[in-house]
Amino acid sequence: MNPFLSVVLMLSVLHAPANEILAAETDAPLQVSAAPQSIKPGSRTESMPWQDTLDPEGAVQQLRLEFASGTYVAGKFSAAGDPLHLDLVSETGVHIRRLVAADGYVDEFHFVVPSETTYLKVQATAAAEDRKTDFRVEFTKVSQPLTEEETTDLSTALLSPALRQLAARSLTDSEIEEFWSALESKGTPLVEPLDDDAAIVTFFYRGARSGVRILGSPSADHDPMFRLKGTDIWYRSYRLPASTRLSYRLAPDVPDIPGTYWDRRVAILATAQSDPLNKSPWPKSAIDPYNQKSVVELPGAPKQPFVGVQKAHCGTVDHLSFTSKTLKNTRNISIYTPADFDPNDPETVLLVLFDGAAYQSVVSVPTILDNMQASEALPQTAAVLIDNPDLDARSRELPGDSGFAEMVANEIMPLVQEKLGTSIPRDRTVIAGSSFGGLAATRLALEFPTLFGNVVSMSGSYWWSPDSKSTNEWEYTASRVAALNAVDVRFFLSAGLFETGRADGLDILQTNRHLKTVLAAKGYDVELREYAGAHDYLVWQGALSDGLISLFGIERNSIPKD
């Protein structure tokens, strides 16, 4: 039987070093309910759950996958209670990629099998090493490997002067090697300045069979790369503003799978990884390239002086498990208190920030606030960072759930004031977030202006409407602002110049511009700052500081707007 028509799931429970157990097999296949004995390649499979209990004595379990190399696999992972990691490892125990981190946030995974025998590895974190934890891995799609295809040459799309010179002549193998050696030494992407305001930026990849896509490209889409005729040089060039800052990943040989538009679009996550030739990985300490991005910062990119190395005595962060009486669910909230906090200081600012887990891992907001206060860019500032229970809850709660708004206003805010030992007035309280979080910040301020007198919205998703309308005639938030009486709330909005969409739908850039116009017409104090970037935490980590300084800085608007 063709090897990728059958799926053999075998379990190894670790009670010995990983490299010994990985090479061993159990006596019989794992018995799972309703697991099919064969899978038709290229079609959605029946659910094939692997569910078990992680024994604290071993603290690791593994599942052997005998798929053909190149098979696309997607699924979901859940753990009942304690945090667990889900990793992909080789037969010899070498880590390949982290599929699900033990933060309880992202639970979906996508990967392409790198070799004939690989293992899914479930491992406890320190928090779960002393107790049993039930877990479940559900496979939602298994599709056949890509076949190598003849690639259409699109070398006419040559914006780069350097590439035009290469394309003008037939390159020898040694010349191609020299080209790659030069790129490896210099680092990618290739930046060719046009003038003080713009540059040609070219991304490269080597070694793909059927294509490469750029996740995080300046077009705000998963742009395909082109192949230079007769070479292994994949490239894509853009004319970008000199103030550009963005992060990106490259996805070679993205699986071409059947299914919905969304199924096909998220398949890019199976191979998306940092650029191996880029010398600015982000974060630098990522466990593997699949959990890392690459950074482009052109010389004119606005400074982010409060990001990075701790420059001051750090404040404290208390992590609480919070169960809502309104929503009947549990989430983590983190309360940041600056060093030498004085609850009697009348100038104290309170920051309420959504997507709290990301704003402590991807971006360290506590460090940013420490540095801002040490630099006297802000008065004394405390913060509460509110997590999401999971991605489904985030998509449901942040945009329009009235119960979520009531929970924040009537449950979390009193708790925070109690923990801080002070009542911070509305005009010193700012509610903030990015994407759906920016939308949530605006709607909560409009609904509870007696609590939230200020908004920092970063790339707010103002294309959203409760009945999923998405035509240019309907913008729910702007329409609501226009219809309601104005309240005493100040707004700092930000959006990326690359956050554009297709002609038939709304996008983040145009809806933020429209919302700013409507707010200003209603008499609101509003600023919109546009960045040469995309939907990106790399941009938001600076926009948050800019917004706080715009609203509460010692000298308002002290950060340049270029």
Side-chain angles (χ1 to χ4, degrees):
M1 179 179 292
N2 189 308
F4 80 84
L5 288 179
S6 66
V7 180
V8 180
L9 304 178
M10 308 212 40
L11 178 65
S12 297
V13 182
L14 294 191
H15 294 286
N19 59 348
E20 297 178 18
I21 299 298
L22 281 167
E25 297 182 6
T26 53
D27 294 333
L30 174 68
Q31 298 300 312
V32 293
S33 60
Q37 297 303 307
S38 63
I39 301 170
K40 183 179 179 181
S43 66
R44 180 176 293 278
T45 70
E46 297 295 327
S47 177
M48 301 180 298
W50 170 39
Q51 50 194 10
D52 213 303
T53 299
L54 193 66
D55 191 316
E57 293 183 13
V60 177
Q61 286 199 23
Q62 296 193 163
L63 183 71
R64 179 176 176 177
L65 302 177
E66 291 189 353
F67 296 113
S69 177
T71 302
Y72 170 69
V73 181
K76 294 184 177 181
F77 175 68
S78 59
D82 290 306
L84 304 174
H85 294 300
L86 179 66
D87 294 334
L88 188 68
V89 298
S90 72
E91 189 169 17
T92 57
V94 176
H95 173 88
I96 299 172
R97 68 184 293 180
R98 175 143 293 166
L99 300 174
V100 179
D103 56 15
Y105 187 59
V106 178
D107 60 359
E108 295 184 353
F109 59 85
H110 311 259
F111 66 91
V112 171
V113 176
S115 61
E116 293 293 337
T117 304
T118 51
Y119 291 80
L120 292 182
K121 174 182 174 183
V122 176
Q123 185 169 8
T125 65
E129 287 180 349
D130 61 347
R131 60 180 69 91
K132 293 184 178 181
T133 302
D134 295 331
F135 65 86
R136 175 185 174 92
V137 178
E138 180 182 355
F139 299 88
T140 57
K141 184 178 283 290
V142 178
S143 298
Q144 62 183 336
L146 283 170
T147 55
E148 188 164 357
E149 299 175 355
E150 184 66 26
T151 304
T152 301
D153 177 63
L154 297 172
S155 58
T156 54
L158 287 169
L159 297 178
S160 163
L163 273 182
R164 282 201 297 270
Q165 292 181 17
L166 284 178
R169 65 182 202 271
S170 297
L171 298 175
T172 65
D173 290 346
S174 62
E175 287 174 326
I176 294 173
E177 287 298 327
E178 289 176 6
F179 170 80
W180 285 118
S181 295
L183 271 186
E184 184 175 0
S185 175
K186 185 177 181 60
T188 54
L190 173 65
V191 177
E192 299 170 276
L194 292 175
D195 49 44
D196 291 340
D197 298 323
I200 299 295
V201 177
T202 305
F203 300 85
F204 292 95
Y205 190 85
R206 186 182 197 183
R209 296 179 304 166
S210 59
V212 187
R213 289 186 174 270
I214 309 175
L215 182 59
S217 68
S219 73
D221 205 353
H222 301 168
D223 282 352
M225 282 187 163
F226 308 138
R227 191 175 69 181
L228 197 62
K229 186 175 182 179
T231 75
D232 59 356
I233 300 171
W234 292 88
Y235 70 93
R236 181 88 185 212
S237 299
Y238 300 88
R239 188 184 191 276
L240 300 181
S243 58
T244 292
R245 172 183 283 114
L246 61 84
S247 66
Y248 69 98
R249 287 183 285 172
L250 301 180
D253 302 323
V254 175
D256 185 13
I257 63 172
T260 66
Y261 166 81
W262 184 249
D263 288 336
R264 296 171 64 84
R265 188 167 177 84
V266 300
I268 194 172
L269 299 176
T271 66
Q273 58 197 267
S274 58
D275 181 347
L277 297 180
N278 182 289
K279 295 185 180 297
S280 299
W282 186 62
K284 293 182 179 179
S285 58
I287 190 171
D288 55 58
Y290 299 98
N291 288 277
Q292 190 176 57
K293 297 181 179 182
S294 300
V295 171
V296 178
E297 289 181 327
L298 297 190
K303 297 185 183 304
Q304 296 182 337
F306 310 111
V307 174
V309 178
Q310 188 82 32
K311 301 175 184 177
H313 180 53
C314 58
T316 59
V317 181
D318 294 326
H319 304 288
L320 307 175
S321 178
F322 172 78
T323 299
S324 169
K325 296 178 181 178
T326 303
L327 296 177
K328 303 294 190 292
N329 61 15
T330 300
R331 72 193 67 225
N332 293 324
I333 63 173
S334 302
I335 300 176
Y336 160 85
T337 307
D340 304 320
F341 178 67
D342 178 6
N344 298 314
D345 185 347
E347 298 299 311
T348 300
V349 172
L350 174 61
L351 168 65
V352 180
L353 182 61
F354 298 122
D355 291 318
Y359 279 106
Q360 293 173 84
S361 56
V362 181
V363 174
S364 178
V365 166
T367 299
I368 290 173
L369 293 178
D370 285 336
N371 291 339
M372 292 184 74
Q373 291 167 89
S375 301
E376 298 184 347
L378 272 187
Q380 176 176 268
T381 301
V384 54
L385 295 88
I386 303 171
D387 287 10
N388 309 291
D390 52 52
L391 279 177
D392 289 338
R394 181 184 188 276
S395 298
R396 180 178 65 254
E397 292 177 351
L398 291 180
D401 188 333
S402 61
F404 176 77
E406 292 172 7
M407 177 199 71
V408 174
N410 300 327
E411 297 183 56
I412 292 181
M413 290 302 290
L415 174 63
V416 173
Q417 304 276 18
E418 177 186 348
K419 294 291 185 182
L420 292 175
T422 184
S423 179
I424 300 173
R426 56 166 302 283
D427 62 305
R428 307 296 296 173
T429 300
V430 56
I431 188 165
S434 51
S435 195
F436 273 161
L439 171 62
T442 292
R443 74 178 182 93
L444 263 73
L446 293 175
E447 187 169 348
F448 297 98
T450 58
L451 291 177
F452 310 111
N454 305 272
V455 171
V456 172
S457 169
M458 300 167 286
S459 300
S461 299
Y462 299 114
W463 52 264
W464 179 90
S465 65
D467 51 2
S468 300
K469 291 182 179 179
S470 60
T471 68
N472 290 323
E473 290 76 34
W474 185 271
E475 292 180 46
Y476 178 76
T477 301
S479 298
R480 187 174 177 224
V481 169
L484 295 173
N485 292 330
V487 292
D488 186 15
V489 177
R490 297 187 298 161
F491 287 86
F492 177 91
L493 310 177
S494 73
L497 295 177
F498 308 146
E499 295 187 274
T500 56
R502 297 177 176 83
D504 59 349
L506 300 175
D507 60 46
I508 284 176
L509 181 58
Q510 66 174 310
T511 53
N512 271 270
R513 287 173 172 173
H514 186 209
L515 178 60
K516 188 259 186 181
T517 300
V518 174
L519 285 167
K522 294 288 289 190
Y524 284 94
D525 181 344
V526 56
E527 176 184 352
L528 170 63
R529 197 169 298 184
E530 297 178 3
Y531 298 86
H535 206 68
D536 194 342
Y537 280 101
L538 188 71
V539 176
W540 299 335
Q541 67 183 3
L544 178 61
S545 297
D546 292 351
L548 291 174
I549 288 175
S550 176
L551 295 168
F552 301 108
I554 306 303
E555 294 184 10
R556 193 176 180 197
N557 298 318
S558 61
I559 294 293
K561 297 180 181 180
D562 57 337

